[in-house]
Amino acid sequence: LEEIGSVELAAALLRSYDATRDDDLVRRTLAGVEALLAAIARTRDLPTFGAVLARGFVERFPGWSYTCRTLADARSLHQDGSPAAADYTAKFAARLALRVDADESARVSRASTEESREPVLAYRNLFTDAMSTPPTEGDLETAVEWSTLVMQARVRLLER
């Protein structure tokens, strides 16, 4: 977004995920999200993060595969020297993981109460404050800008 001139939009997205440029904090976020994925994989009998990356895609679990790839993208962004983008992407992967966990929970019965709490606790460690900074009027305007940008991109794709 910054590269295409949407600096305010990029900043709003980073604020919405409380993304940081601090390298140590980003490393902790990456490790925390990996722990979250490991906990969900254990409780839901899903392939591990490493197994998904080795296969590239697990047809039976497309959402889980996408979640694992998103965390891998976050690692790549960090290695490429984009800590804020890495932090945002890792936290986005955490939210995807919780969605997969909820979907799997609806599909199969929970193994035990303690196991089912493990992913929730790991998630809470990543997002200690649900909304530590409420959105500003500028953030809301930026959200409209983002929606417009997405719609324009969709129209261009449909015109092809």
Side-chain angles (χ1 to χ4, degrees):
L1 290 172
E2 290 173 345
E3 290 174 14
I4 63 170
S6 296
V7 177
E8 293 86 12
L9 176 56
L13 284 173
L14 293 176
R15 276 194 311 279
S16 73
Y17 273 71
D18 198 23
T20 180
R21 296 181 193 282
D22 182 291
D23 218 37
D24 289 334
L25 292 176
V26 174
R27 273 195 278 284
R28 273 190 250 157
T29 297
L30 290 166
V33 174
E34 191 166 343
L36 173 65
L37 268 61
I40 291 171
R42 258 191 318 278
T43 59
R44 300 291 173 222
D45 198 26
L46 295 166
T48 64
F49 173 68
V52 171
L53 293 187
R55 289 181 66 184
F57 180 76
V58 180
E59 192 170 313
R60 186 169 164 223
F61 303 106
W64 185 246
S65 294
Y66 179 72
T67 300
C68 292
R69 283 295 332 146
T70 301
L71 178 56
D73 291 344
R75 285 176 160 185
S76 293
L77 286 164
H78 188 244
Q79 288 174 348
D80 291 345
S82 299
D87 198 56
Y88 170 86
T89 304
K91 289 175 179 176
F92 184 76
R95 294 207 163 145
L96 290 172
L98 262 285
R99 181 63 211 191
V100 170
D101 183 52
D103 290 347
E104 287 297 309
S105 159
R107 203 170 59 77
V108 255
S109 63
R110 293 185 179 267
S112 77
T113 306
E114 192 54 42
E115 281 183 343
S116 66
R117 289 185 40 77
E118 189 178 358
V120 173
L121 295 174
Y123 182 81
R124 283 187 183 154
N125 287 335
L126 289 166
F127 297 97
T128 51
D129 297 327
M131 185 61 117
S132 55
T133 309
T136 65
E137 187 66 33
D139 289 338
L140 297 175
E141 289 171 11
T142 302
V144 171
E145 178 188 337
W146 170 253
S147 298
T148 303
L149 187 65
V150 169
M151 292 309 294
Q152 289 170 347
R154 292 185 84 187
V155 167
R156 282 195 300 272
L157 282 173
L158 291 172
E159 289 175 346
R160 287 185 183 178

